[in-house]
Amino acid sequence: MNTPLKMLLVEDNLQDAELTIRALKKRNLANHVIHVADGQAALDFLFGSGDYAGRDVQHQPQVVFLDLKLPKLNGLEVLRRMRADERTRRVPVVMLTSSQEDQDVREAYRLGVNSYIVKPVDFESFREVVIHMGSYWMALNITPAKQIP
Amino acid sequence: MTEKSFPPGKSARAAETLQQQRQRVMTICRNQAASNVTHQVSEWAPPRSDNTQVHQAELDAPSGELLRTQMALDASRMRYYDLYDHAPVGYLTVDEGGRILEINLTAVDWLGVVRHSLIKQVFAQLIAPADQDIYHLWLKHLLETRVPQMAELRILGGDKPSFWARLDGTIAAAECGATEIRIVLSDLSGRKQAEEEIGMLRADLRSRCAELAASNAELDSFSYSVAHDLRSPLRAVDGFSRIVLSDYGMQLDAQGQRMLGVIRSETQRMGRLIDDLLAFSRLGRQPIENKPIEMESLAQEVFSNLAALEPARNLLLDLHPLPVAYGAQAMITQVWEHLIGNAIKFTKERDCGVITIGARNGDDGVPIYYVQDNGAGFDMHYASKLFGMFERLHCPQEFPGAGSGLALVKRMVQRHDGHIWADAQVGQGATFSFTLHPSSCS
C-alpha cells in the first residue's frame, strides 16, 4: 500500500464528513482521504496502533483536517500529541470546527495548529471553504519530502 | 414676748431700706400669735411726721405689689418648668465632671429612672458600655473646644432596652461661674430603625440584582449554545437537499424540484435566524469598551459602503454635523449599518431615496442621533412591536428581512445606556432616533 496519503479527516459528524468528502471529490481532491470518527482512532492511525497496527508510519498525511469536539480524545488533545511526537510534529493540521470560542482558537494556536477554520452554517459556503482548503493544503502547499530520515 | 428695741432717730431708720424694714416686720409677725400681730404692728407705730405718711403708704403698697410680683414670678416659673420638663427632647445639665445637675422629665422618662436618683450621678453610667468611648471623646472635645458638639450613641433605658440617642452639648456658665454643660437628648430610635430597614432593603435589592444578572448571563449562554448546536444539523439538511437537487434533480418533475428548492431556501433562512440569535446573545456577553467614536465620519462611511452595494438605486445622503460618542466602535458601526440599511431598503419605492442623518440636543443635554428617510414608513400603532425579536411590520414580499435587525440595534444601544425610538407615518417615511451614554464615564 504505497499510494501517498493525502488527507486524514478526523470528524465525528458523519453528515459533515460525507459533505466534506463529496465536496473534495468534485474537485478531485479526495482521492486519498482517510476518515476517522474519533480522536483515539486518529492517533491510532498516525502512530500505527490499534486498528491501524502495522501501518507504515513513515508515511504521514499531507494534512490533517481536525474537528475540535470529538468523542474519546478531543481535537486539542490529538493536536498536542501530534506536536509532541517527532514523527508527526511537522504534519500540517487544520482545525475545521463549529466552535468559534476565542479560548479554543487561542489554545489551538498555542498547541501549534497551522490553520483554524470555522465551518460555515450553510452548505454552499461550507462547500466553498472545503474546496478552498483542500486546494490549498493538498495542491498548493509544499511540505517536506515524505520520507523522514 | 421679746421686743426688739428700735434705735431711735430718723437717720438710723433712714439707713435701713424699706425692704429691710418690711422683712423685720414679717419676721416679728411670724414669731407671734396672729392675734397679736396687728396689735404689735399698730403699737409700734413709726413716729408721725410728714415722711411717715409716705413711708406708711410705701410700706403698705409694696406688700400688695410684692404679692402680685410674687404671683407673676411663680406663674412664670411654673410655665417655664412645664416647658422644660415636658419638652419633646430630653434636657440635662451636667458639670465638668460629667455629673448630672439637672434633668427634665422627658429624659427621666426615657431613662426609666426616678429623677432625684439621677441628680449628682455620673451621666456616663447611663451610656451603653460599647459607646463609652464615643461619649468621653465627645465630652473632652466639648470642654476643649468650647464649641457645640454632637454625638450619636446608645443610652441604657432602665427596664426598657437601650436606645440610640443624639447628644447635642453646649458649654454654659452657671450663676456661680462654674462651667456646666447643657445637653439636648434626642431619641434616634425611629431614625435608626428606618436606617436599618433601608440597609436591609438595599441588601435585598443587591442580591436580587445579582440574581438577575446571573439569570441573564445564563440565558445568554443558553441561547448561544442552542444556536450553536442547531447549526450542525442545519448544515446537513441544507447540504443533502442540495446534493439531491443537483444529482437527482433531473429525475424529479418541476413540482418536485420546486419543493426541494423550498427546503433549501427555508434552511438558509433558518440559518440566518440562528445567526441573528447568536449575535443577539453574544451582545450580552461582551464588555463595552469606552473609546471616542467619530460618528459623522462613521455614518458617512457606512452609507457609502451600503450605497455601493446598490448601484442601481438613486440615493441621497443629507448628513449634518454629529457630536463624538463614546462606546464600542464595532457595535455602533452595526447600529448605523442597520439603521441606514433599513432606510435604504424601505425607500426603494421612491425615485430618490433621501436619507437625513443628524443630531439634536435632548432635554438633559445628551445628544440624540437620528436617521430619517422618505420611504414607506409604518403605522405608529405598531410602534411597540418594532424592536421585538423577529417582529416585522411588512411582509417579506414587500421588503425582505428577518425582523431581528432592530432588536439587535436596540440591545446594542441599551448596552450603551441609551434609548432608541421611532416615529413614522405610513407612506411618509420614518425617523429612528437614539441616544448613547453621555460621557466617557460608563
Side-chain angles (χ1 to χ4, degrees):
Chain A
M1 213 180 95
N2 263 341
T3 38
L5 297 167
K6 294 281 173 65
M7 180 200 287
L8 176 65
L9 175 63
V10 190
E11 169 66 74
D12 68 318
N13 183 317
L14 298 180
Q15 284 74 37
D16 277 356
E18 187 176 340
L19 293 173
T20 305
I21 293 167
R22 277 187 80 97
L24 291 171
K25 258 200 186 116
K26 284 267 157 102
R27 296 296 176 95
N28 292 316
L29 294 166
N31 298 329
H32 309 284
V33 177
I34 300 285
H35 167 229
V36 292
D38 66 70
Q40 187 56 56
L43 291 178
D44 284 343
F45 178 84
L46 289 166
F47 300 121
S49 58
D51 290 342
Y52 298 93
R55 189 184 83 80
D56 179 10
V57 293
Q58 303 285 43
H59 284 112
Q60 290 295 334
Q62 202 165 332
V63 66
V64 177
F65 278 20
L66 182 59
D67 193 4
L68 196 70
K69 289 171 177 51
L70 298 167
K72 295 186 190 168
L73 245 57
N74 76 19
L76 289 174
E77 185 56 32
V78 171
L79 178 60
R80 201 182 63 75
R81 300 230 196 148
M82 281 183 70
R83 290 295 175 254
D85 191 297
E86 181 59 30
R87 294 168 289 178
T88 51
R89 199 161 57 84
R90 283 170 288 272
V91 176
V93 175
V94 175
M95 214 113 217
L96 182 60
T97 181
S98 314
S99 167
Q100 212 173 338
E101 288 289 310
D102 192 55
Q103 69 187 45
D104 288 332
V105 180
R106 267 187 276 127
E107 185 61 13
Y109 274 101
R110 193 187 73 83
L111 290 169
V113 80
N114 297 78
S115 175
Y116 193 106
I117 308 279
V118 173
K119 289 182 199 169
V121 176
D122 72 288
F123 176 62
E124 196 50 53
S125 312
F126 179 76
R127 221 175 63 102
E128 275 177 37
V129 164
V130 167
I131 290 168
H132 283 320
M133 286 194 334
S135 309
Y136 177 80
W137 288 101
M138 296 207 285
L140 196 62
N141 189 48
I142 308 289
T143 52
K146 302 293 188 304
Q147 302 281 5
I148 297 164
Chain B
M1 184 175 26
T2 51
E3 259 183 58
K4 270 207 168 158
S5 53
F6 297 101
K10 211 154 77 156
S11 57
R13 211 173 290 120
E16 277 187 322
T17 61
L18 278 167
Q19 176 78 334
Q20 284 166 329
Q21 281 180 335
R22 184 179 176 258
Q23 278 177 352
R24 267 198 289 118
V25 166
M26 293 306 285
T27 313
I28 293 165
C29 293
R30 258 185 247 115
N31 290 343
Q32 309 225 338
S35 52
N36 289 331
V37 170
T38 28
H39 177 72
Q40 283 293 335
V41 171
S42 60
E43 258 200 27
W44 175 78
R48 297 277 169 204
S49 71
D50 288 334
N51 283 344
T52 56
Q53 295 282 55
V54 176
H55 287 173
Q56 184 65 46
E58 281 173 350
L59 256 180
D60 288 343
S63 57
E65 200 175 291
L66 225 57
L67 214 61
R68 274 194 297 282
T69 308
Q70 186 69 32
M71 279 175 67
L73 196 65
D74 285 342
S76 176
R77 212 178 266 145
M78 272 195 65
R79 188 161 153 267
Y80 280 105
Y81 270 115
D82 202 41
L83 280 169
Y84 176 81
D85 265 334
H86 297 108
V89 291
Y91 291 134
L92 64 147
T93 313
V94 301
D95 65 12
E96 266 183 298
R99 281 174 290 269
I100 298 173
L101 300 170
E102 255 186 319
I103 183 163
N104 78 345
L105 286 177
T106 308
V108 162
D109 190 39
W110 289 350
L111 293 165
V113 206
V114 190
R115 169 139 65 178
H116 62 74
S117 69
L118 286 167
I119 306 296
K120 290 282 199 243
Q121 294 304 309
V122 172
F123 183 44
Q125 292 174 330
L126 299 162
I127 309 290
D131 296 339
Q132 289 285 328
D133 289 343
I134 301 173
Y135 170 71
H136 287 294
L137 199 63
W138 166 83
L139 189 62
K140 180 165 174 283
H141 230 77
L142 188 57
L143 290 167
E144 278 173 10
T145 66
R146 321 295 285 184
V147 160
Q149 300 288 334
M150 188 275 287
E152 285 184 13
L153 37 70
R154 280 158 293 196
I155 294 191
L156 303 171
D159 296 331
K160 304 175 217 176
S162 68
F163 61 96
W164 274 97
R166 179 188 156 122
L167 302 180
D168 283 285
T170 46
I171 298 281
E175 281 115 30
C176 52
T179 299
E180 59 182 30
I181 298 150
R182 300 205 184 130
I183 304 174
V184 177
L185 195 72
S186 317
D187 186 345
L188 289 182
S189 337
R191 201 193 81 184
K192 283 291 176 188
Q193 197 177 351
E195 272 176 19
E196 238 184 78
E197 251 186 73
I198 289 174
M200 272 167 49
L201 285 171
R202 200 179 279 153
D204 191 28
L205 190 67
R206 240 188 300 229
S207 76
R208 284 200 200 191
C209 279
E211 263 178 54
L212 199 65
S215 156
N216 278 344
E218 237 183 86
L219 203 65
D220 278 340
S221 158
F222 173 73
S223 325
Y224 180 82
S225 50
V226 162
H228 198 259
D229 294 340
L230 286 174
R231 284 171 141 194
S232 179
L234 198 61
R235 186 170 40 244
V237 172
D238 187 16
F240 282 95
S241 54
R242 195 175 204 279
I243 292 166
V244 169
L245 196 61
S246 68
D247 291 4
Y248 302 95
M250 63 293 286
Q251 295 178 33
L252 292 168
D253 64 358
Q255 191 71 313
Q257 288 184 19
R258 188 186 65 80
M259 289 184 180
L260 218 49
V262 168
I263 291 175
R264 287 219 60 236
S265 64
E266 284 303 288
T267 314
Q268 276 161 19
R269 189 167 81 93
M270 187 162 162
R272 283 191 296 271
L273 290 176
I274 291 174
D275 280 344
D276 288 344
L277 253 176
L278 261 176
F280 190 83
S281 80
R282 211 175 280 136
L283 276 182
R285 305 191 304 147
Q286 285 166 0
I288 297 287
E289 51 184 1
N290 214 346
K291 308 240 171 67
I293 302 170
E294 290 293 335
M295 294 294 260
E296 203 175 320
S297 53
L298 183 58
Q300 173 69 70
E301 194 185 320
V302 168
F303 174 82
S304 304
N305 290 344
L306 290 174
L309 296 173
E310 312 257 5
R313 292 280 315 275
N314 205 1
L315 296 166
L316 179 70
L317 174 66
D318 181 17
L319 181 61
H320 297 270
L322 300 178
V324 168
Y326 290 89
Q329 176 99 7
M331 265 194 222
I332 301 305
T333 306
Q334 282 189 65
V335 169
W336 284 120
E337 279 172 354
H338 281 285
L339 294 179
I340 297 173
N342 275 352
I344 291 173
K345 189 196 313 182
F346 286 91
T347 54
K348 73 176 169 63
E349 301 300 317
R350 303 279 177 260
D351 290 334
C352 179
V354 178
I355 298 165
T356 312
I357 299 177
R360 59 177 196 275
N361 261 329
D363 293 334
D364 48 0
V366 176
I368 300 173
Y369 302 91
Y370 62 85
V371 178
Q372 182 179 25
D373 66 70
N374 66 337
F378 55 85
D379 187 346
M380 279 301 281
H381 208 65
Y382 302 108
S384 57
K385 298 184 85 181
L386 210 54
F387 296 97
M389 192 59 165
F390 301 140
E391 293 276 14
R392 301 211 69 224
L393 299 185
H394 300 85
C395 52
Q397 286 76 35
E398 284 181 288
F399 301 102
S404 57
L406 286 177
L408 271 165
V409 167
K410 179 175 175 181
R411 191 145 204 223
M412 288 191 254
V413 163
Q414 279 176 339
R415 290 227 64 213
H416 285 79
D417 295 327
H419 298 97
I420 183 164
W421 64 98
D423 296 286
Q425 268 187 297
V426 177
Q428 307 275 349
T431 305
F432 283 80
S433 313
F434 67 94
T435 60
L436 302 170
H437 55 222
S439 69
S440 49
C441 9
S442 57

